[in-house]
Amino acid sequence: MVSTVGKRISIMRHFLRLCAMSLVVAFGGVACAQTPAAPAATVSAAASPDATVRTVPEYRLGVADKVRVNVFGEEALTGEFLVGGGGKVSLPLIGEVQAAGLTISQFQQEISNELRKGYIKEPRVSAEVLNYRPFYILGEVNKPGEYPYTNNLTVLNAVATAEGFTYRANKRSVFIKRAEDPAEQSYPLTPLTKVAPGDTIRIGERYF
C-alpha cells in the first residue's frame, strides 16, 4: 500500500512540474511577443532640406577655363589654351574642339579623335585645368563679389576670402547655385561644405 501511494505521489509531482513548465513557456512567449520594437523614427529620422550634404560632381569644363594640353612628341600642339565664349578651344592644326560641358578625360578623348582624322595615327594626349572659373559670394559677408577658385574650396574658405561674416549672418546654413542650375539650394554650413567652380554662394541673414 505504501509503495502504491508513493508511486501516485511521484506521478502527481511529475504532472505538476509539466504544467508549471507549460505555463512558463506560454507566458514567456506572450511577453516576448508584446516587447515593443524600436520605433522606425529612431532608425531613420526624416531629414530637413538643410540636412542635405553637398556632393560636388566631377568637374566639367566651362567658358573662361584655362587648360594645358600636351600631345606627346608634338611640341607644336602642346600649350595653354582658353575655353572661349562658344565653349570651344582653338588648337593648332585641328582648329576648334568642343570643351564646355566635358570632363577632362572626355576633352582629352575629343582631341585624340580629331588628331586621328589624318594627322596622328595613335596620339597620346593629356590635359589639365590651370585656372578654373571664378566663384561668386553674396549676402552677409564683408566683401561680396567675384573671386578666383582654388582646389578643394569650401564655403568657409570662400567666406574668409570675402573677409568674413557680417554680424547679421546666418552661420548655420548657406545657399548655393551651380552655374548650370536654375535655382539655388540650401545646405548646412559646415567645414566640409564644398564649392565648385562657377558657383554662386549666398550667405543669408539670421532672424534671431
Side-chain angles (χ1 to χ4, degrees):
M1 176 66 81
V2 174
S3 177
T4 302
V5 171
K7 287 182 180 179
R8 288 180 178 175
I9 291 172
S10 177
I11 290 170
M12 288 295 294
R13 285 176 177 171
H14 181 66
F15 176 77
L16 290 173
R17 278 200 299 269
L18 289 176
C19 290
M21 290 174 64
S22 299
L23 289 172
V24 168
V25 171
F27 283 104
V30 171
C32 291
Q34 292 179 347
T35 301
T42 61
V43 177
S44 57
S48 66
D50 280 353
T52 305
V53 176
R54 190 180 199 222
T55 56
V56 176
E58 185 177 1
Y59 183 67
R60 292 181 180 273
L61 295 169
V63 175
D65 281 342
K66 189 176 184 180
V67 296
R68 178 173 177 79
V69 176
N70 181 45
V71 182
F72 182 77
E74 300 290 338
E75 289 191 13
L77 302 178
T78 297
E80 298 176 2
F81 308 93
L82 193 69
V83 181
K88 296 184 177 182
V89 172
S90 183
L91 299 173
L93 191 62
I94 58 178
E96 291 190 330
V97 176
Q98 180 64 35
L102 303 182
T103 64
I104 280 292
S105 59
Q106 291 171 336
F107 178 56
Q108 290 174 177
Q109 189 60 51
E110 192 76 12
I111 297 172
S112 296
N113 292 341
E114 292 298 321
L115 288 171
R116 286 192 183 94
K117 295 177 181 178
Y119 301 107
I120 302 174
K121 188 176 180 180
E122 289 298 332
R124 285 190 285 170
V125 179
S126 65
E128 62 177 322
V129 181
L130 296 179
N131 290 331
Y132 294 91
R133 283 167 284 170
F135 72 91
Y136 306 87
I137 185 164
L138 311 171
E140 298 301 324
V141 291
N142 288 308
K143 284 199 173 181
E146 173 188 315
Y147 293 94
Y149 179 84
T150 56
N151 280 325
N152 299 316
L153 186 72
T154 67
V155 170
L156 289 181
N157 296 148
V159 170
T161 302
E163 299 195 4
F165 296 105
T166 68
Y167 72 92
R168 295 184 301 271
N170 179 356
K171 299 178 184 178
R172 298 181 62 185
S173 63
V174 60
F175 299 94
I176 303 176
K177 179 185 175 299
R178 288 183 57 80
E180 59 270 26
D181 290 344
E184 63 185 15
Q185 187 172 346
S186 177
Y187 298 94
L189 206 171
T190 75
L192 301 178
T193 307
K194 297 284 188 179
V195 178
D199 278 354
T200 298
I201 305 162
R202 182 171 66 85
I203 303 298
E205 183 178 353
R206 59 182 171 85
Y207 297 101
F208 54 88

